[in-house]
Amino acid sequence: MYENMRLKAKESGMDFNLDKINKTPNTVLSHLLIILSERFNLGNEIKEKIYQSYFIEGLDIGDKEILINIGKEFNINAGVINDFFNSKNIEEVNSYISVAREKEINGVPFFEMGIDFISGAQSSANLESAIKSNLS
């Protein structure tokens, strides 16, 4: 499952430790932490830490305590995070799944560019080509 991702990462100069990953996590709470972090203008930092935690450290980014600790590293209060991980917000993130299915999205990252889309790990050359073909 991860072999293409490992190859694409290596081509881009990233060293993923995918052998440390014990399970594919449910990422709903990760998405909620990202949404919450944007309110603190920390979206990019939190995304980077979540990716590092999963792809390099092999941590379960579906685990509530791991995510709370990530947020705390960036001074987001644990209580605020815990309160944000509520059923209403979980339902909202889950509602995006049906949209993804309708668009036949089956990999991340996913980019829509004009009439083209790219799903899953891709080389920078593929991304560049898709962007350029949609500039006109």
Side-chain angles (χ1 to χ4, degrees), residues 24-35:
T24 301
N26 179 329
T27 59
V28 169
L29 296 181
S30 289
H31 285 91
L32 284 176
L33 180 58
I34 292 166
I35 293 166

Side-chain angles (χ1 to χ4, degrees), residues 101-134:
R101 284 189 184 124
E102 287 172 15
K103 292 185 176 200
E104 298 181 13
I105 299 170
N106 54 20
V108 292
F110 180 84
F111 302 99
E112 261 185 286
M113 293 168 273
I115 60 169
D116 293 325
F117 68 88
I118 293 181
S119 182
Q122 300 289 324
S123 68
S124 55
N126 283 354
L127 290 171
E128 181 180 3
S129 174
I131 292 167
K132 284 181 177 179
S133 71
N134 283 283

Side-chain angles (χ1 to χ4, degrees), residues 8-108:
K8 296 298 181 186
K10 194 156 194 77
E11 286 175 14
S12 299
M14 295 181 284
D15 230 354
F16 286 177
N17 293 318
L18 302 176
D19 54 319
K20 288 186 174 185
I21 298 171
N22 294 320
K23 72 174 193 172
T24 301
N26 179 329
T27 59
V28 169
L29 296 181
S30 289
H31 285 91
L32 284 176
L33 180 58
I34 292 166
I35 293 166
L36 175 64
S37 71
E38 290 169 352
R39 296 180 181 180
F40 295 91
N41 202 27
L42 293 167
N44 289 334
E45 293 88 342
I46 292 290
K47 282 185 252 185
E48 179 72 27
K49 182 62 181 178
I50 289 171
Y51 294 149
Q52 177 186 1
S53 297
Y54 184 62
F55 293 114
I56 301 201
E57 299 170 26
L59 297 177
D60 179 357
I61 58 167
D63 182 276
K64 185 177 187 177
E65 292 307 313
I66 288 172
L67 294 167
I68 287 173
N69 286 331
I70 289 172
K72 285 170 45 179
E73 285 183 42
F74 295 91
N75 298 315
I76 302 175
N77 180 279
V80 170
I81 298 168
N82 196 49
D83 289 346
F84 198 74
F85 290 171
N86 62 55
S87 58
K88 177 182 174 240
N89 288 337
I90 290 169
E91 285 177 30
E92 183 174 340
V93 169
N94 282 331
S95 74
Y96 303 148
I97 293 170
S98 62
V99 172
R101 284 189 184 124
E102 287 172 15
K103 292 185 176 200
E104 298 181 13
I105 299 170
N106 54 20
V108 292

